[in-house]
Amino acid sequence: MEVREIKKPYKPRHNDNEIRNFQHVKILDCNQPVHRIIFECWHCKQGLLSEVEGVSSQMLDVPCPSCGRTAIKLMANKVISTTPIPSPWQP
């Protein structure tokens, strides 16, 4: 009789205490000249609605009106407006 070793599939190890940063983003009106983007500020998690013109190869920093830091970096020609809104992702 032959004994076979059963290998478990690779599973990356994650520390349960490890913080995983991510940012919620939803893009609307992609086929329009002005796109709307709903997202959370990277720093304070404030919900924001930005209107931007066009897609570009240049990176624009969008400041958060609540905390004043860079909320998100977008590849766009111009940021028309950024408005604080309740975050759709917060309970």
Side-chain angles (χ1 to χ4, degrees):
M1 252 201 231
E2 189 177 310
V3 178
R4 294 178 130 183
E5 182 181 334
I6 299 173
K7 292 185 178 182
K8 293 181 182 179
Y10 174 75
K11 186 175 176 183
R13 294 182 185 191
H14 292 288
N15 186 351
D16 291 337
N17 298 332
E18 180 181 323
I19 297 173
R20 295 181 186 103
N21 290 331
F22 60 89
Q23 187 170 26
H24 291 109
V25 178
K26 188 171 192 175
I27 302 170
L28 307 170
D29 302 327
C30 296
N31 57 350
Q32 302 297 321
V34 176
H35 310 299
R36 291 182 300 155
I37 303 169
I38 299 172
F39 58 96
E40 286 181 326
C41 173
W42 179 257
H43 303 282
C44 70
K45 304 300 181 205
Q46 167 70 51
L48 299 167
L49 168 66
S50 283
E51 293 180 313
V52 299
E53 270 185 9
V55 178
S56 171
S57 60
Q58 69 178 6
M59 194 75 84
L60 297 177
D61 291 349
V62 180
C64 176
S66 298
C67 70
R69 298 170 75 182
T70 299
I72 196 169
K73 293 180 182 239
L74 298 175
M75 294 181 77
N77 289 333
K78 178 181 176 186
V79 177
I80 299 169
S81 67
T82 301
T83 308
I85 61 171
S87 174
W89 298 281
Q90 296 297 322

